[in-house]
Amino acid sequence: MNPEQKATLAQLRDAVERIEAGESEEEAPDSRSPNLPSEPDVSATGASEASAPELSAPELGSGPGHAGEAPEHTYEKARSLVLRKITGSPKSRYQLDKALREKEYPQELISAVLDRLEEVHLIDDAAFARSWVRTRHESKNLGRRMLRQELREKGISEETAEAAVSALSDEDDDSAARELIDNKLRTVAVPQGNSPEDRKERDKIARRLVGALGRRGHAPGAALKLVREALDERAA
């Protein structure tokens, strides 16, 4: 972890601790969590703005499967692990839950930690989904179908994923597809003649481009139309 990530982690931990100590916005210095680095750029909402009641580490049961069974699996350690994860890059609740389960934390403790961080807006699946869609659409030219699939893999609910993806219009999708087509055609010599061989070669190029667009989540019909337009322009 580099110095900047360590500083960010310290600020995140301080923000949560101040809220759990019951400090108001007026009493605490600015504890707004900084923008989190790396892709996608999901900015955590300021923890100090949360109006949640005072809440320290919750009381968990001590029976089988509870935190009391394994001293190394404490609330504080689980919370610290989560804060490190979201400092490195934004994560969905599902991803954080999975990371804690892989470390064999009991589910009761996992739920307590994640519920608390959701209350102070350090975990926000809706914000994560919106930023994921925007970033992946712009940087990878992904279509809406692929974006929905990726959000499902991140554990985002269908409703939340659809709300994020629906922010993209047909024009947005077409624009991303055209950019991908242009990038692919920069290294391809498109035949300009009208001979059977030239037409056959253009058809081969078209199939490859439509396949590439399909793998990025663009609908086949729209992809074929855009590919044909791009090839016609270059063959004119």
Side-chain angles (χ1 to χ4, degrees):
M1 182 179 297
N2 60 40
E4 182 179 352
Q5 289 178 316
K6 289 181 179 178
T8 302
L9 176 59
Q11 291 175 12
L12 289 172
R13 186 180 291 111
D14 182 64
V16 176
E17 289 174 352
R18 289 185 181 281
I19 291 174
E20 291 180 346
E23 291 189 18
S24 66
E25 286 190 34
E26 292 76 10
E27 295 170 330
D30 184 11
S31 57
R32 182 181 301 275
S33 57
N35 289 336
L36 302 179
S38 78
E39 177 180 292
D41 181 17
V42 182
S43 298
T45 306
S48 63
E49 295 177 359
S51 56
E54 179 178 347
L55 177 66
S56 56
E59 294 183 5
L60 304 176
S62 57
H66 293 292
E69 188 177 28
E72 69 274 15
H73 289 156
T74 67
Y75 180 92
E76 290 299 327
K77 288 184 178 180
R79 187 181 68 174
S80 293
L81 188 153
V82 171
L83 291 177
R84 287 196 301 273
K85 290 285 185 183
I86 63 178
T87 299
S89 64
K91 299 288 189 297
S92 67
R93 176 168 178 141
Y94 169 82
Q95 290 175 291
L96 296 168
D97 185 288
K98 181 179 179 182
L100 289 171
R101 282 188 283 111
E102 289 175 349
K103 296 293 185 180
E104 299 184 348
Y105 282 90
Q107 190 59 51
E108 181 186 14
L109 187 150
I110 292 173
S111 296
V113 170
L114 299 185
D115 286 349
R116 183 57 184 149
L117 293 180
E118 276 190 336
E119 288 178 19
V120 297
H121 307 294
L122 291 178
I123 301 174
D124 186 337
D125 276 0
F128 173 89
R130 289 192 299 270
S131 184
W132 184 269
V133 165
R134 181 179 66 253
T135 303
R136 297 287 286 174
H137 177 73
E138 293 174 355
S139 66
K140 299 296 183 181
N141 302 122
L142 297 186
R144 286 173 287 190
R145 178 171 56 82
M146 181 57 68
L147 291 167
R148 290 187 184 95
Q149 178 179 321
E150 289 190 341
L151 289 175
R152 284 196 297 271
E153 292 170 354
K154 301 296 181 184
I156 302 300
S157 70
E158 292 292 334
E159 181 180 0
T160 301
E162 191 58 38
V165 173
S166 65
L168 298 177
S169 65
D170 291 340
E171 291 74 17
D172 292 328
D173 243 13
D174 288 350
S175 177
R178 287 192 183 96
E179 184 174 343
L180 182 60
I181 292 168
D182 289 342
N183 290 339
K184 295 288 187 182
L185 288 178
R186 286 188 185 126
T187 58
V188 176
V190 179
Q192 297 185 344
N194 201 33
S195 68
E197 291 78 12
D198 289 340
R199 291 198 299 271
K200 182 178 180 180
E201 182 62 23
R202 284 197 295 272
D203 286 342
K204 187 195 319 185
I205 295 172
R207 287 194 298 272
R208 289 175 179 171
L209 288 173
V210 171
L213 288 169
R215 289 189 292 274
R216 297 291 184 98
H218 295 277
L224 180 59
K225 175 178 178 293
L226 295 171
V227 167
R228 289 295 186 190
E229 291 176 356
L231 290 178
D232 288 346
E233 287 179 6
R234 286 161 176 76

